[in-house]
Amino acid sequence: MASHTIVFTDGIFVLFTFGVVLMILQVFLSKTESKWTGLIMPAIMFGISLIASFQFMLRLINTRSFTGMINGVFIEHTTSMSSIIGQTVLIFVLCNIATGILIAVYTIFRRKRNRQDALEMMSVQDLG
């Protein structure tokens, strides 16, 4: 039982470290002069969420029906199309949490950058 706990905590540590590195990279890209570089990471995450949702939907469609014995009881189950769509939308929303966080980081640091640029422009006009 203890080995499962170690693997679980190692996975959380790796996931947390990946998230921190992703945020540091997003902050760096958001502070650059070009506004488009800060949108690279959110675009990648959005693309990943589209791919994950599409693959999840295809898997649900392919394994739509289940027939077999569970605990000695014969079960025949077919998943409805509305259930498949609902689960796919849920996966899409959950996968886009990271996209929303990256866009929020981009917006915050881009506003700061625009404010600094405006202050520099006003100081140049005051000198001229």
Side-chain angles (χ1 to χ4, degrees), residues 61-81:
I61 289 172
N62 288 336
T63 59
R64 217 172 142 171
S65 62
F66 171 78
T67 305
M69 297 286 284
I70 297 179
N71 294 333
V73 178
F74 182 74
I75 295 180
E76 191 171 342
H77 176 73
T78 303
T79 307
S80 67
M81 198 60 176

Side-chain angles (χ1 to χ4, degrees), residues 41-47 49 94-104:
M41 297 301 293
I44 290 171
M45 293 304 287
F46 183 74
S49 72
L94 290 175
C95 288
N96 274 310
I97 291 172
T99 306
I101 292 170
L102 291 174
I103 288 175

Side-chain angles (χ1 to χ4, degrees), residues 86-101:
Q87 291 176 18
T88 303
V89 169
L90 179 64
I91 291 296
F92 181 74
V93 169
L94 290 175
C95 288
N96 274 310
I97 291 172
T99 306
I101 292 170

